[in-house]
Amino acid sequence: MAILENIRKRTTVLILIIGLALFAFVISGVFSSNNFAGGKVGSSVAEVNGENIPIEEFRSQVETASRRYGPSVTSTQLVNMVYDQEIRKAILNQQFEDLGIDVESDQIVDFVRTSGYAQIPDFQDENGVFNEQVFKSAIADWRANDPLRYDAWLQDEESIIQAAKERMYFNLVKGGVTATLTEGQLNYNMANDKVDMQYVRIPYTSIPDSTIEVSKSDIQSYIDEHKALFKQDKARDIRFVYFEEKPSAEDENSVKTAITALLDNSVEYSEAKDANDTILGFRTTTDMAAFLDRHSDAKFDTIYKAKKDLPSVVADTLMAMSVGEVYGPYKDGNAYKVSKVMDRKENGTAKASHILITWEGAERANPSITRTKEEAEAEAKRLLAEAKKEDVLFTTLARENSDGPSAPRGGDLGYFQEGVMADEFNDFCFGNPTGTIGLVETQFGYHVIKVDDKQDVIQVATLSREIEPSEETINTLFTDATKYEMAVMDAEPENFGDIARESSYTVRPVNKIKEMEENLPGLGSQRSIVQWAFNDDTSVGDIKRFNVNNGYAVVQLTKKYKKGLMAPEDASATALPAIRKERKAEQIIAANKGKAMDAIASDNGVSLSTASAVTLSSPTLPGAGREPFVVGKAFAMEKGQTSDLLEGSTGVYMIKVTNKTEAADVENYSTYAQNLQTSAAARVNGAVYNALKDKAEIEDKRATFY
């Protein structure tokens, strides 16, 4: 924040740097007054340092984001995403206004030139390079002849202007980030000055937690002294019982019985013939496609499959079967199936590796390839001879010599069926036995090929029926959920779990739900439950049944958390260990005060330890972990000096410095200073924005609208 304060103090200088006569001139006039009409109309979705973000504009941004991301992002995720963007924009725009930061036409062009927009073909010249005049002409053409594309560009331009301002702002901040030679020297010394020490450590674990009494008021005092550690947002705890709409054992058996009945022929009475007809079953049907269209949830797939392409639960079984054999019923996922092998092709899939040697101008050849076709052929023949030698690994040869993308995999192309590869490549692989190595030419280059393996492929017909809950099961589920809801609403709130256990239902808690959250573990996207939990009319202990994905959830609100400091009960998980450590340290120091290191070790059943070449940049002690305070104390002591008892991170220490080694001086510390400056500059964007956001007064009103 000191950097930002300096910027504010030097506003006049910065404005001179940016330009004395900056004005908002953009290619399309996106900053015209019409674009900002109605800024104060209606309610706001948030307020940032007294500045409103109107709900109308916010909804427009959400709609735009929805079109961009489609159904892959939920509505609540979109709202939260746009909210973060708008808060960031509002906070930074306030900084831009304070500093007089604006952009001109040439700055927009420069930004486009150095961004992904420069790759748009309409902005490039005949050489495929971004051209400013072509860019401006394209925008003018869209404006005159393609209104939809021009409107889309206006939105892009707003983003470009914002990004250009941000780049300028953060570059100004980075310009104030420096590191002196003295800081570089300090950084060098912290990494290279070393200290050796002898130490004794009495770990805090030597005193049982049960012996340390901590009251509620002690925790409250600790919270008051460490407020930054115990800030919390508004949150809720709930618990629920989920009644999942899933098939019962009877439903599964019903599907299995139905699919089994379709295996064999059946007899049906035909009114037209006034006689019984024999209906061919799955085993004997002569028109499998029509049979599956009528009786199966999946159509007849005529594609031949290798073992790897078959369902894992039956792959071995199906590959071992003969043509015409039937297997099943078997359960695969959420369906019962019966499969029949319709046909088999021996060696119908091949596995091969190759070394591709291409030439300049060959199809898909890397532009860096400069060899001629004749040179490529000679090299391929040389590699063929090498590949046929007994002591040569084909994979190594391919990895080191192939021009193809499979080179890192040793040339491995995996399994493929006939017709997938180029004709010459295909004919070689399927026309030669496993182990054959040879050379073919295709439009891609010369291929040194090794046939690694071959497998049969089979054509399988599968009769499939999804296992779904029956109407009876669904009705029973609704009845069970309703009964449980009525039972818990008639009982005391604390009996929610007891009543569930009596019926063998599982109670699932979800803690610290935030106001704009959507996904609940075990239930998925359930915005309505979150809204109910945060409703002012919903009290702790209240219960409600919700229709959720595939069933019902009976939910109880169990706790409310106010924004501000945590209550002692909520802070205890963090505060208790810290308070106990402080009190254990006091006890250990009091019990060992005035003792020598040997006596401390003997009286406490611990041993003397040593640590060598410890540095300030890596303050780790063997067997104890990171101890920055203890190591820092060692560097502040003289050789041969012994410390008092020190309160460390994992225990109480006494240390004796046995040796100190200062780092060798270097002529110039500019490299170390530059590294510090580069590292600090890389953190500017995130660190500065987060600091501004922490300082800003933000009132979030999303829950009012969503």
Side-chain angles (χ1 to χ4, degrees), residues 220 223-224 227-228 230-232 562-567:
Q220 184 62 60
I223 294 170
D224 294 337
K227 292 181 179 179
F230 298 100
K231 290 181 179 179
Q232 68 177 8
K562 294 181 179 179
K563 183 175 182 178
L565 289 179
M566 294 181 183

Side-chain angles (χ1 to χ4, degrees), residues 191-433:
N192 294 281
D193 286 351
K194 296 179 175 63
V195 67
D196 300 341
M197 70 179 83
Q198 186 181 44
Y199 67 91
V200 61
R201 178 181 71 115
I202 308 167
Y204 296 129
T205 53
S206 63
I207 300 177
D209 287 350
S210 58
T211 64
I212 306 297
E213 294 186 4
V214 181
S215 67
K216 182 177 179 180
S217 61
D218 293 333
I219 296 175
Q220 184 62 60
S221 298
Y222 189 85
I223 294 170
D224 294 337
E225 293 169 5
H226 304 83
K227 292 181 179 179
L229 297 177
F230 298 100
K231 290 181 179 179
Q232 68 177 8
D233 293 324
K234 193 190 318 185
R236 298 288 187 267
D237 289 350
I238 65 168
R239 55 180 175 175
F240 66 89
V241 173
Y242 178 33
F243 294 84
E244 186 179 4
E245 192 175 279
K246 60 182 180 180
S248 64
E250 291 77 11
D251 296 332
E252 285 200 24
N253 289 332
S254 176
V255 173
K256 186 176 181 180
T257 300
I259 206 170
T260 301
L262 292 169
L263 287 174
D264 299 313
N265 298 346
S266 61
V267 177
E268 291 184 5
Y269 174 73
S270 171
E271 292 185 3
K273 297 179 181 178
D274 192 24
N276 290 333
D277 272 350
T278 298
I279 308 300
L280 298 181
F282 181 72
R283 297 182 196 273
T284 56
T285 183
T286 56
D287 189 347
M288 183 60 75
F291 184 89
L292 294 183
D293 281 346
R294 181 180 179 187
H295 298 291
S296 176
D297 291 336
K299 294 182 178 295
F300 182 30
D301 185 356
T302 59
I303 297 174
Y304 285 76
K305 302 288 179 62
K307 179 181 175 180
K308 68 180 181 62
D309 301 318
L310 297 169
S312 58
V313 292
V314 291
D316 289 330
T317 301
L318 295 179
M319 290 304 299
M321 289 165 50
S322 301
V323 173
E325 281 193 88
V326 174
Y327 176 74
Y330 61 90
K331 190 176 179 183
D332 180 20
N334 198 39
Y336 267 112
K337 299 178 178 179
V338 179
S339 293
K340 179 180 180 180
V341 178
M342 303 296 290
D343 194 15
R344 176 184 295 272
K345 290 182 181 179
E346 292 187 4
N347 297 328
T349 181
K351 182 177 185 290
S353 302
H354 80 141
I355 305 169
L356 173 63
I357 305 299
T358 190
W359 60 83
E360 185 177 9
E363 189 170 329
R364 299 183 190 171
N366 191 308
S368 63
I369 299 293
T370 58
R371 70 170 71 94
T372 64
K373 184 175 181 181
E374 291 74 20
E375 290 172 336
E377 182 179 13
E379 176 66 4
K381 287 180 178 178
R382 183 188 72 80
L383 290 168
L384 174 64
E386 283 290 312
K388 288 186 174 182
K389 293 179 180 179
E390 291 186 5
D391 58 342
V392 172
L393 286 175
F394 192 93
T395 54
T396 302
L397 208 60
R399 190 176 296 115
E400 295 176 352
N401 296 279
S402 180
D403 295 329
S406 64
R409 303 190 300 274
D412 184 11
L413 296 171
Y415 285 93
F416 51 88
Q417 294 189 35
E418 286 199 73
V420 173
M421 299 295 186
D423 292 344
E424 300 86 353
F425 198 104
N426 180 88
D427 294 345
F428 180 88
C429 293
F430 288 97
N432 289 286

Side-chain angles (χ1 to χ4, degrees), residues 2-4 6-7 10 14 17 168-180 183 677 680-681 684 688:
I3 294 170
L4 295 179
N6 288 333
I7 287 178
R10 295 179 291 176
L14 292 175
I17 294 172
M168 184 184 300
Y169 173 74
F170 287 122
N171 283 344
L172 287 171
V173 178
K174 289 174 184 177
V177 175
T178 60
T180 65
E183 290 173 318
Q677 182 173 333
V684 161
V688 169

Side-chain angles (χ1 to χ4, degrees), residues 235-241 488 493-494 496 508-513 529-546 554-561:
R236 298 288 187 267
D237 289 350
I238 65 168
R239 55 180 175 175
F240 66 89
V241 173
V488 293
E494 59 270 18
F496 187 93
R508 306 182 193 184
V510 183
N511 298 327
K512 296 291 182 72
I513 303 168
I529 295 178
V530 177
Q531 289 174 319
W532 169 79
F534 279 90
N535 193 308
D536 291 338
D537 295 333
T538 305
S539 303
V540 172
D542 284 0
I543 294 165
K544 186 174 181 179
R545 174 169 55 84
F546 292 86
V554 179
V555 185
Q556 182 181 51
L557 177 64
T558 56
K559 192 166 187 176
K560 290 185 176 183
Y561 300 89

